[in-house]
Amino acid sequence: IDLVCNKGAGSMLLEKPARMEQIVRASAPLLSCALTLKTRMGYYDNKKVAHDIIPKMKNWGLAGMTLHGRSRQQRYSRSADWAYVKECADKSPIQLIGNGDIFSYHDYAENVENSGVATCMIARGALIKPWIFTEIKEKRDWDISATERLDMLKEFCAFGLEHWGSDARGVASVRRFLLEWLSFLCRYVPVGLLEVLPVGIHQRPPSYVGRNDLETLLSSNQAEDWVKISTMLLGPPPENFTFQPKHKSNAYSKESEAGAEQLDYGEVQG
């Protein structure tokens, strides 16, 4: 992301709306489908600009856009600003999709259904809880079992091996993507262990013991345990294999790491 912004692209275009307009106007006529884009509120925390740019986008040739309720400078610290997303949706002449911190059907109902947006984009929430779409559709909190979660991982690995192949190189590719995903999946706390619902995506749970050994293993935030899970599904990795998550977006905000939001979970039973 830094490399992209340092070249004047990505969210840095929020500081160069004329350049953004040129890109949209040049791209729209060349496509056989509708052109959409995704952006943030602004580049800097103290300079929100999306509300000034969005009303102009229809004339540029844009059919719709996704707005992440954060600045680029903010990254994933603090909660997404859905009040600002609503303000922009009210001014938008095109379909606007909201984005930021949707982690349950409660979040969807509170932020999406009452904000004037067409729908929402779900990113980290889907990496941590791939079943979030079922929860939203059925308007419920799903106390999914550890076995059901493991079955999802088995299916993921099967698709990966089909795509990359089952030779050493293919297995290595599947393992790498599986481990990256596990660095997000471990943040899920089973609904059946919680006293307080809903849970926010920024809330950091205390350590807990699951209802069985597999549930406890899936909750581990230790890379060696993720490698252990990959071994269950793909066989042992090469000798001296280690793993370090590539993306910082799997981590908690600094405020959460300091324990500011940890108690909001209530007591985790285990």
Side-chain angles (χ1 to χ4, degrees):
I1 295 175
D2 290 335
L3 291 174
V4 173
C5 289
N6 290 341
K7 293 181 179 180
S11 54
M12 178 54 76
L13 289 172
L14 289 164
E15 290 292 293
K16 304 175 180 180
R19 177 61 175 157
M20 184 186 296
E21 179 182 357
Q22 290 176 344
I23 294 172
V24 173
R25 288 186 181 276
S27 302
L30 303 178
L31 299 176
S32 59
C33 59
L35 176 63
T36 65
L37 64 79
K38 177 182 180 291
T39 191
R40 293 185 175 230
M41 302 186 300
Y43 191 87
Y44 299 104
D45 270 348
N46 61 353
K47 189 180 178 183
K48 298 176 182 178
V49 299
H51 63 282
D52 290 327
I53 300 174
I54 289 172
K56 306 173 185 177
M57 288 183 169
K58 184 176 182 180
N59 292 333
W60 297 355
L62 205 66
M65 69 156 298
T66 299
L67 179 62
H68 187 175
R70 287 188 173 88
S71 67
R72 190 269 178 182
Q73 187 180 45
Q74 178 185 352
R75 305 250 177 162
Y76 288 101
S77 65
R78 303 188 305 280
S79 298
D81 188 347
W82 276 89
Y84 184 75
V85 173
K86 183 180 187 304
E87 177 186 340
C88 292
D90 291 340
K91 296 181 179 180
S92 179
I94 57 178
Q95 283 198 332
L96 191 144
I97 299 168
N99 174 229
D101 297 347
I102 302 299
F103 197 46
S104 68
Y105 88 87
H106 305 278
D107 296 329
Y108 181 90
E110 179 181 352
N111 295 315
V112 178
E113 294 180 355
N114 299 317
S115 63
V117 300
T119 185
C120 71
M121 172 185 285
I122 302 177
R124 287 183 303 158
L127 288 170
I128 299 169
K129 289 172 51 179
W131 53 92
I132 186 174
F133 305 101
T134 299
E135 291 188 334
I136 291 173
K137 180 180 180 180
E138 299 179 1
K139 298 182 179 181
R140 67 184 177 102
D141 296 300
W142 183 3
D143 187 14
I144 186 170
S145 70
T147 301
E148 289 173 308
R149 292 161 64 194
L150 185 64
D151 287 341
M152 290 183 181
L153 297 180
K154 290 178 181 177
E155 188 173 18
F156 175 86
C157 290
F159 285 134
L161 293 172
E162 180 181 350
H163 178 74
W164 281 294
S166 57
D167 59 0
R169 186 174 181 179
V171 172
S173 295
V174 178
R175 191 186 309 277
R176 177 166 61 88
F177 283 99
L178 173 64
L179 291 171
E180 292 287 355
W181 189 23
L182 287 168
S183 73
F184 286 90
L185 287 171
C186 67
R187 290 181 52 173
Y188 172 69
V189 179
V191 170
L193 299 182
L194 298 173
E195 286 189 344
V196 178
L197 287 171
V199 171
I201 198 169
H202 282 318
Q203 293 173 288
R204 184 172 186 169
S207 298
Y208 66 91
V209 176
R211 291 166 290 190
N212 54 54
D213 291 342
L214 178 59
E215 194 167 73
T216 302
L217 179 63
L218 291 171
S219 73
S220 174
N221 61 3
Q222 301 299 311
E224 55 266 30
D225 286 328
W226 306 336
V227 174
K228 181 178 179 180
I229 294 170
S230 79
T231 301
M232 295 165 56
L233 300 168
L234 297 168
E239 189 176 355
N240 299 322
F241 177 85
T242 59
F243 172 72
Q244 180 69 32
K246 178 180 178 181
H247 300 288
K248 293 183 179 179
S249 56
N250 73 316
Y252 292 92
S253 66
K254 291 182 179 179
E255 291 89 343
S256 180
E257 288 178 348
E261 296 176 275
Q262 182 169 324
L263 295 180
D264 289 343
Y265 264 89
E267 183 178 352
V268 177
Q269 303 292 336

